[in-house]
């Protein structure tokens, strides 16, 4: 099991930027895939971005070109750089992790989305974008 702690949320105006961080501890290995999900007011939780390695990254269409997912393996930290934020990006952002062995699709974000019941989750960090 992986323990996850998010940070970096806050309130920004439309067009602004935020950088989310997710510190991971526990059963971390090179075979763990990680990602970001979000849940806006009155909306279902949705996948935002995910990666298994620098060669396996995918994004939701709504954030492509604006958000960048990255990781620092030296301290087991996952990042989400969010630029050109929009009010629709408002929500609670969650970090998630899962063993690569649990995924059966080439698109890592879609794969993680289909097995959400198997993911380890953080507590979330709130992002609010005002117009």
């Amino acid at each position: 099991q992986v323990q996850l702690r998010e940070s970096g949320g806050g309130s920004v105006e439309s067009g602004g930027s935020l950088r989310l961080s997710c510190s991971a501890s526990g059963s971390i290995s090179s075979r763990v895939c990680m990602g970001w999900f979000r849940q806006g007011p009155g909306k279902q939780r949705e996948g935002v971005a995910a990666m298994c390695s620098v060669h396996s990254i995918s994004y939701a269409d709504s954030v492509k070109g604006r958000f960048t997912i990255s990781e620092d393996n030296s301290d087991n930290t996952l990042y989400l750089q969010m630029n050109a934020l929009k009010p629709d990006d408002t929500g609670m952002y969650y970090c998630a992790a899962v063993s690569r062995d649990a995924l059966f699709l080439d698109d890592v974000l879609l794969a993680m989305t289909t097995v959400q019941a198997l993911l380890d989750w953080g507590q979330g960090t709130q992002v609010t974008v005002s117009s």
Side-chain angles (χ1 to χ4, degrees), residues 1-4 23-32 34 73 76-77 97:
Q1 189 173 9
V2 178
Q3 290 77 49
L4 304 167
S23 178
S25 61
S27 301
I28 305 295
S29 75
S30 61
R31 296 199 59 78
V32 170
M34 298 183 69
N73 291 322
N76 293 327
T77 302

Side-chain angles (χ1 to χ4, degrees), residues 5-96:
R5 177 180 292 184
E6 304 93 338
S7 62
S11 297
V12 297
E13 293 186 349
S14 182
S17 298
L18 284 173
R19 189 193 195 200
L20 305 184
S21 300
C22 173
S23 178
S25 61
S27 301
I28 305 295
S29 75
S30 61
R31 296 199 59 78
V32 170
C33 300
M34 298 183 69
W36 292 95
F37 289 73
R38 69 185 180 188
Q39 186 166 17
K43 299 180 181 179
Q44 289 189 330
R45 186 168 56 194
E46 62 176 353
V48 176
M51 66 184 300
C52 292
S53 71
V54 293
H55 305 295
S56 177
I57 296 176
S58 64
Y59 296 94
D61 287 343
S62 60
V63 306
K64 282 181 180 176
R66 300 188 298 122
F67 291 11
T68 303
I69 189 172
S70 62
E71 62 184 3
D72 184 342
N73 291 322
S74 66
D75 62 0
N76 293 327
T77 302
L78 183 74
Y79 299 100
L80 184 68
Q81 178 66 44
M82 306 186 295
N83 298 328
L85 282 161
K86 306 174 181 179
D88 280 349
D89 295 318
T90 293
M92 187 69 78
Y93 282 68
Y94 299 92
C95 179

